[in-house]
Amino acid sequence: MNIAIYGYGNLGKGVYAAAKNAKDASIVGIFTRRSPESVKVPEGVAVYSANDLPAFRDKIDVLLVCGGSATDLPVLTPALAEDFNVVDSFDTHAKIPEHFDNVNKAAVKSGHIALISAGWDPGLFSLARVYASAVLPDCKDYTFWGRGISQGHSDAIRRIEGVLDARQYTVPIEEAMQAVKEGKEPTLSTREKHKRECYVVAEEGADLDRIEKEIKTMPNYFADYDTTVTFISAEELKKNHAGMPHGGSVLCTGKTGLNGENQHFIGYTLALDSNPEFTASVLLAYARAVNKMYKRGITGAKTVLDIAPSDLSPLSEEELRAHYL
Amino acid sequence: MNIAIYGYGNLGKGVYAAAKNAKDASIVGIFTRRSPESVKVPEGVAVYSANDLPAFRDKIDVLLVCGGSATDLPVLTPALAEDFNVVDSFDTHAKIPEHFDNVNKAAVKSGHIALISAGWDPGLFSLARVYASAVLPDCKDYTFWGRGISQGHSDAIRRIEGVLDARQYTVPIEEAMQAVKEGKEPTLSTREKHKRECYVVAEEGADLDRIEKEIKTMPNYFADYDTTVTFISAEELKKNHAGMPHGGSVLCTGKTGLNGENQHFIGYTLALDSNPEFTASVLLAYARAVNKMYKRGITGAKTVLDIAPSDLSPLSEEELRAHYL
């Protein structure tokens, strides 16, 4: 399949690497809203202006849209679905139904497929939740995130006066996960599920007490959590906190039997060295499915819940049945 | 949907319980090859002879075939697919392609859907393997089973002279699982992955040394494993080993990045109090999908790899997108 990448931030770079390593994908090019000359890409890959996209209509099987969920994707994905099969990673859970409807209108009208909200949450974690609740309809599911870097929380700290740089780790609380695994079906407050660890580089002479207090009392981001703040040097941040690890678990327990006498646990866990590279790999797998389904005449907006697993694999259905089933 | 159950052993009983608890299933009846009067079922449920099935052609949306993989299902599933949409739990991995082809011929010809090999392995574990390998094409996957009762191994012990009853637990080796989780991609022999614990009730005066030796040296079943044999009383077996727990994990590690510089772990774990009841719950979820897909005009043999997750859920696509994605 011929894929193209729209946007070349962390996610776009991850898609490039995943496609480069895939045996069944070739990269038509990287499309950018910046000036193409200003985008640093690996040798041998073409960079085009996003304005040139219409000329590539017949050359791209699937366009992977690598933009932010806050302002980029709500506009980009419906617009691009007018000309291309697209995959995006829209991850604002509460706005997925609205985004789906907007994208669906465009994709149905143009006769393309637009797969939204690929990645791991939403994405693989959504699959874990849906499979578990389909098998055990009354199960209780819990999602824990981390230990991993939250970009949004790191950004929030960086906006505080006197802060030069920061990394925030979301950390699941072990005792809470253990209680879920043991089938106790606990009711957990926000504070009981996760804690937040902040590593902050402050300006010289900055009021560290004020910064720490501003972080810990920040509404929505930190106020509802047990938060630790550690001030470190720029060198230490670069040395020990440069990566973008993340992950988490979807844990479910449910009962079977005429009187619910037997209990079952279903757990799905990810531990990722690089959040954007893994997310990108999920996007590429769904691009593969989009390409296959488009050839079957399927159109409209889709999510990971609509895609049969075999369509994600580069292997044939026969190979999958023989070796993976 | 109107379901019927063919065969009323442990799995059939599990399907009955799952359907009874499901809001979207009603049970047309239990069909048996035994004399219907001899089958003990909960009050209010109809039991019919398997010979009477043709009369129920228009009354059953999906027939769940609850027979053994060794001799029952290879014959039953293709035959029943001539008249019904069917779901089975065929679990002889090596013979799945052959079973699929036989069932597919019957189902295509009759215009029904036949979903084979539902359950957890094959089944949910297959899904975990395929999703992981689609996202990380060069990942290495490991399947560990247990701690849980293996019916086949328990039966093998029971066939030894002087043995009255037995339960065999398959136990994954913790160190091996840990090495996989740490991304070491170890090469593991059969012995390094699992051990076997046997609880045996012997006849009075039986030669316990001979029995233990016969178990430990039994080819295929025990010879390649570290096996422990514990002789217990019939009462102790009944008290402590009456359940049918099982479970296990599919663990995968793979790399991303242009030079494979980042590593990722994907783990899927089940811990089940009742293997047959959980398996039955998976079968019922797939019966739901079969019923939906049949109404869309889809026919032929299918496996869990061919089914979109949303089709398994009793919830609408809108509800799933809003609350589970």
Side-chain angles (χ1 to χ4, degrees):
Chain A
M1 59 174 171
N2 295 309
I3 67 129
I5 302 165
Y6 189 109
Y8 198 65
N10 287 325
L11 185 60
K13 286 175 191 167
V15 170
Y16 175 79
K20 198 81 187 166
N21 288 331
K23 292 178 186 77
D24 61 345
S26 66
I27 304 164
V28 175
I30 291 160
F31 291 83
T32 178
R33 286 167 294 177
R34 293 181 270 167
S35 133
E37 302 76 40
S38 72
V39 180
K40 227 182 111 187
V41 298
E43 232 184 80
V45 60
V47 188
Y48 304 100
S49 163
N51 299 326
D52 297 337
L53 257 173
F56 288 84
R57 256 195 226 178
D58 301 329
K59 301 192 179 82
I60 296 168
D61 294 318
V62 188
L63 179 62
L64 291 95
V65 192
C66 302
S69 295
T71 54
D72 290 345
L73 298 177
V75 179
L76 280 178
T77 309
L80 294 168
E82 290 178 11
D83 291 310
F84 298 96
N85 296 316
V86 296
V87 174
D88 83 13
S89 64
F90 185 80
D91 66 359
T92 312
H93 287 262
K95 293 191 176 168
I96 286 175
E98 182 188 335
H99 186 56
F100 183 91
D101 289 341
N102 291 338
V103 173
N104 191 47
K105 268 178 216 136
V108 165
K109 198 174 160 196
S110 74
H112 288 97
I113 305 187
L115 189 131
I116 66 157
S117 301
W120 59 274
D121 195 1
L124 301 181
F125 275 14
S126 319
L127 297 174
R129 290 187 282 262
V130 168
Y131 279 118
S133 69
V135 171
L136 301 173
D138 293 323
C139 74
K140 208 160 153 47
D141 69 85
Y142 298 80
T143 302
F144 292 92
W145 295 274
R147 188 175 192 263
I149 293 276
S150 163
Q151 220 58 59
H153 288 79
S154 301
D155 288 345
I157 300 171
R158 281 187 211 108
R159 285 192 293 263
I160 293 174
E161 199 190 314
V163 171
L164 289 174
D165 205 350
R167 294 287 185 283
Q168 193 271 179
Y169 293 88
T170 305
V171 184
I173 291 177
E174 197 51 56
E175 295 75 25
M177 292 181 69
Q178 194 53 40
V180 173
K181 283 180 189 169
E182 289 168 7
K184 293 179 181 164
E185 304 199 350
T187 302
L188 297 167
S189 67
T190 298
R191 191 179 301 273
E192 287 167 328
K193 284 185 73 185
H194 298 93
K195 57 186 176 184
R196 302 200 173 275
E197 290 178 7
C198 311
Y199 296 86
V200 182
V201 182
E203 282 172 14
E204 217 179 304
D207 180 347
L208 303 187
D209 286 346
R210 175 193 49 84
I211 292 175
E212 179 164 343
K213 201 180 158 195
E214 276 195 44
I215 295 173
K216 289 186 172 178
T217 57
M218 198 185 295
N220 302 321
Y221 285 89
F222 295 101
D224 299 334
Y225 299 85
D226 288 334
T227 301
T228 59
V229 177
T230 308
F231 290 96
I232 60 174
S233 67
E235 293 70 41
E236 193 181 336
L237 186 123
K238 201 177 165 186
K239 190 179 157 219
N240 296 330
H241 306 283
M244 282 177 280
H246 218 317
S249 297
V250 175
L251 309 180
C252 308
T253 53
K255 291 173 166 52
T256 61
L258 281 175
N259 303 302
E261 53 270 43
N262 286 307
Q263 178 143 305
H264 308 280
F265 167 78
I266 304 175
Y268 185 74
T269 295
L270 297 173
L272 314 173
D273 270 2
S274 166
N275 183 358
E277 283 183 7
F278 186 83
T279 301
S281 298
V282 177
L283 262 63
L284 190 70
Y286 279 94
R288 191 177 286 128
V290 163
N291 187 44
K292 289 186 193 178
M293 293 166 76
Y294 181 68
K295 288 180 180 164
R296 283 183 225 137
I298 297 167
T299 61
K302 305 286 167 196
T303 76
V304 300
L305 306 179
D306 305 314
I307 311 302
S310 61
D311 279 337
L312 300 171
S313 177
L315 302 177
S316 71
E317 292 181 9
E318 289 76 14
E319 287 173 301
L320 289 173
R321 280 196 295 272
H323 304 297
Y324 285 80
L325 200 66
Chain B
M1 59 176 170
N2 294 308
I3 67 128
I5 302 166
Y6 189 109
Y8 199 64
N10 287 326
L11 184 60
K13 286 174 191 166
V15 171
Y16 175 79
K20 197 80 187 166
N21 288 332
K23 291 179 188 77
D24 61 344
S26 66
I27 303 164
V28 175
I30 291 161
F31 291 82
T32 179
R33 287 167 295 177
R34 293 181 269 167
S35 133
E37 302 76 39
S38 73
V39 179
K40 228 183 109 186
V41 297
E43 234 183 79
V45 60
V47 189
Y48 304 100
S49 164
N51 299 325
D52 297 336
L53 258 173
F56 287 84
R57 257 195 228 179
D58 301 331
K59 300 192 179 81
I60 297 169
D61 293 318
V62 189
L63 179 62
L64 292 97
V65 192
C66 301
S69 294
T71 54
D72 290 345
L73 298 177
V75 180
L76 281 178
T77 309
L80 295 168
E82 291 178 11
D83 291 310
F84 297 96
N85 296 316
V86 295
V87 174
D88 84 12
S89 64
F90 185 79
D91 67 358
T92 312
H93 286 263
K95 293 190 175 168
I96 286 174
E98 183 188 335
H99 186 57
F100 182 90
D101 289 340
N102 291 337
V103 172
N104 191 46
K105 269 178 215 139
V108 166
K109 198 175 160 194
S110 75
H112 288 96
I113 304 187
L115 189 130
I116 66 158
S117 302
W120 57 275
D121 195 3
L124 301 182
F125 275 15
S126 319
L127 297 173
R129 289 187 283 263
V130 168
Y131 279 117
S133 69
V135 172
L136 302 173
D138 294 323
C139 73
K140 209 160 153 43
D141 68 86
Y142 298 80
T143 303
F144 291 91
W145 295 275
R147 187 175 192 260
I149 292 276
S150 162
Q151 219 58 59
H153 289 78
S154 301
D155 289 344
I157 300 171
R158 282 188 208 106
R159 285 192 293 265
I160 293 173
E161 202 192 312
V163 170
L164 289 174
D165 206 350
R167 292 290 185 284
Q168 192 271 180
Y169 292 88
T170 305
V171 184
I173 291 177
E174 198 50 56
E175 295 76 24
M177 291 180 68
Q178 194 52 40
V180 172
K181 283 179 189 170
E182 287 168 8
K184 294 180 180 165
E185 303 200 351
T187 302
L188 297 167
S189 66
T190 298
R191 190 178 302 273
E192 287 167 331
K193 285 185 72 186
H194 298 93
K195 57 187 175 181
R196 301 200 174 276
E197 291 176 8
C198 311
Y199 295 87
V200 181
V201 181
E203 283 173 12
E204 217 180 304
D207 181 348
L208 302 187
D209 284 348
R210 175 192 51 82
I211 291 174
E212 179 164 345
K213 202 180 157 195
E214 274 194 47
I215 294 172
K216 289 186 171 178
T217 59
M218 197 185 296
N220 303 321
Y221 285 89
F222 295 101
D224 298 334
Y225 299 85
D226 287 333
T227 301
T228 57
V229 177
T230 307
F231 290 97
I232 60 174
S233 67
E235 292 70 40
E236 193 181 335
L237 186 123
K238 201 177 163 185
K239 189 179 157 218
N240 296 330
H241 305 282
M244 282 179 281
H246 218 318
S249 295
V250 174
L251 308 180
C252 307
T253 54
K255 291 173 165 52
T256 61
L258 280 176
N259 304 301
E261 54 271 41
N262 286 307
Q263 178 144 304
H264 308 281
F265 167 78
I266 305 175
Y268 185 74
T269 295
L270 297 174
L272 314 173
D273 270 2
S274 166
N275 183 357
E277 283 182 7
F278 186 83
T279 302
S281 299
V282 178
L283 262 64
L284 190 70
Y286 278 94
R288 190 177 287 128
V290 163
N291 187 44
K292 289 187 195 177
M293 294 166 75
Y294 181 69
K295 287 180 181 162
R296 281 182 227 138
I298 297 168
T299 61
K302 304 287 168 198
T303 76
V304 298
L305 306 179
D306 305 313
I307 310 303
S310 61
D311 279 336
L312 300 171
S313 177
L315 302 177
S316 72
E317 293 181 10
E318 289 76 13
E319 286 173 302
L320 289 173
R321 280 196 296 271
H323 303 297
Y324 285 81
L325 200 64

